[in-house]
Amino acid sequence: MATLNEPVISEEKVEDILEGTEPGARNLDESLFAAESFEDLSHEVEAAKLDGQTSSRTLSISSAGRRTKSDELEDAGSEEDSLPTDAQKVDDENAEEEAIDEARLKRAESIIAPERQASIEDMNDPEWKSHKKHVFILSEAGKPIYTRYGNEENLVTMMGLMQAIVSFIQDNKDNIRSITAGNHKFVFLIRGPIILVAVCSSTDSQAQLVLQLTYVYHQVLSVLTFTQLTKIFEQRRNYDLRKLLAGTEKFIDNLLNLMSYDPSFLLQAVRCLPLPNAIRDAIGQAFQSAKSQELVFAILVVKNQLVTMVRPKKFSLHPSDLHLIFNLVSASTAFHTAESWTPICLPRFDNSGYLYAHVSYLDDNCPACLLLLSTDRNAFFTLSECKAKILEKMERHKCLEHLTRAAEKGDYRIEEVGISELWHFIYKSRSTAQFTSPKISHPYITPEEQERLYGLYLHLHHRIHSSSRPLKILCYSTKREMILGWVTSGFELYASFSPLTSKAAAINAVNRLLRWIKKEEDVLFIINSYTF
């Protein structure tokens, strides 16, 4: 049986060893992302109002657009543009809604997953019951919206029961959070007119499941926006939201699959593609050369890893918004064929409106996907010209060849770190919200062993970030390995060692690991931030 052990050195000694240590954080004043800890997110979820509003730090799409124009005018010494009149705003909003609806219907027709409609699993099916984690979305009226497994039509009765439980608790002036029944956890997240429920028999904690449900909720908002969602149910409480989400279920499916093994979501951090700093700088400068009044964000992605991002001054993206962008790219093959134009709402940036994304792959032989985001829904051709300028600059410095080689090489191996007793690790720079980890290798070769390792990381994460008893360092020993979790003001680290490794040896190995990460930080992290 596994045992929990206290660290062999005092917390004061730990802080002395690691004072001022944070590889991967150099230009803190120019951080790409709005960094935040798991505790911050947990407090935000607890304090969130039931009307579905997100963080008070949410930025405005309109202000981002005006800021970009203002920067141009300041450079030219001109006065700031006047704001549109109320009548113009109404016309623009109506035209925008019509354009969004048309784009959504076309997208639904092109990516609809017929296998979901053909599913016959229901709650009486042993195969359906055997799944470790179910996720359901229903309206406050009990109408089914989404289920991870099976078909919503076969689960109407069960979702109606879930809605009845929520209503019963609300009638007593309270809100249900979770139910524990044997090995299963039922976790509820109520956001405005919709209810999200996770039923789980895996190692995920309640707080971790709430985080996952929040991502699913944000995925829904990325298609509809909070404003449209609330407006729909204000007008028709019994509206079947599946009509508007038709074809986008695959994005929720893909998101849930990613969250089952990708630590990006758990850490609220972004993984960067390992790349020489000189090449990354050349790409950033190529992005800057394509500066346009309509361009707000320029993002380059390779296999769910960030290459670089260029943004407006004083504006940044939250990692959770960037994860939605990664999910958009990875869940659809349609972007490989041609330049695409799609609206997307980034809830942590502004949950009330859309950004418009020009999405394209740079070359048939290169897996790099370029996203150019604008506040102008008519900027497709302008951004297409920006893409041509960026591609020309990148080809001049042979950036595509470097990106292709980096993608083929993939993540580095643990042997490159040179610490024999270290089997695997996940390191996050807390101030920059970036993380790195090697390929999972021996002894975690099989999918079952990899799932078990991630489950151990989840357990350590839960214990360390416990709201009732938070810890800074924790060792967890099993018959197969020794797991160490370590959180300081600068970094967050989870590592797996051989089972005979002592706690003192593990701490010494972590110090050597930090020195290695510091040495390689120009390759593993985005050090320089580029702005328009």
Side-chain angles (χ1 to χ4, degrees), residues 115-170:
E115 64 273 9
R116 292 187 61 88
Q117 301 299 325
S119 176
I120 58 174
E121 288 186 13
D122 60 24
M123 56 186 176
N124 297 315
D125 190 333
E127 184 177 350
W128 184 86
K129 294 180 181 179
S130 67
H131 296 299
K132 290 185 177 181
K133 186 186 298 179
H134 291 267
V135 173
F136 309 96
I137 308 176
L138 55 145
S139 70
E140 59 182 356
K143 283 273 190 179
I145 297 174
Y146 168 85
T147 178
R148 185 180 187 186
Y149 300 110
N151 186 281
E152 295 85 8
E153 294 294 338
N154 299 332
L155 304 172
V156 173
T157 303
M158 187 185 65
M159 292 198 190
L161 177 60
M162 291 178 177
Q163 187 275 334
I165 294 173
V166 171
S167 297
F168 177 79
I169 301 298
Q170 287 180 338

Side-chain angles (χ1 to χ4, degrees), residues 61-177:
I61 285 178
S62 59
S63 66
R66 288 198 297 273
R67 177 61 187 168
T68 304
K69 295 176 182 178
S70 176
D71 288 342
E72 296 283 347
L73 292 171
E74 286 176 4
D75 294 338
S78 303
E79 295 181 357
E80 186 174 328
D81 286 344
S82 60
L83 298 179
T85 64
D86 292 340
Q88 289 174 327
K89 287 182 180 179
V90 172
D91 291 341
D92 288 344
E93 289 175 358
N94 291 337
E96 179 176 348
E97 288 186 4
E98 292 177 2
I100 295 300
D101 290 340
E102 182 179 355
R104 187 183 299 114
L105 288 174
K106 289 181 178 179
R107 180 169 57 185
E109 292 173 359
S110 64
I111 64 177
I112 191 165
E115 64 273 9
R116 292 187 61 88
Q117 301 299 325
S119 176
I120 58 174
E121 288 186 13
D122 60 24
M123 56 186 176
N124 297 315
D125 190 333
E127 184 177 350
W128 184 86
K129 294 180 181 179
S130 67
H131 296 299
K132 290 185 177 181
K133 186 186 298 179
H134 291 267
V135 173
F136 309 96
I137 308 176
L138 55 145
S139 70
E140 59 182 356
K143 283 273 190 179
I145 297 174
Y146 168 85
T147 178
R148 185 180 187 186
Y149 300 110
N151 186 281
E152 295 85 8
E153 294 294 338
N154 299 332
L155 304 172
V156 173
T157 303
M158 187 185 65
M159 292 198 190
L161 177 60
M162 291 178 177
Q163 187 275 334
I165 294 173
V166 171
S167 297
F168 177 79
I169 301 298
Q170 287 180 338
D171 288 342
N172 290 289
K173 310 299 181 183
D174 204 348
N175 290 293
I176 188 169
R177 296 184 180 182

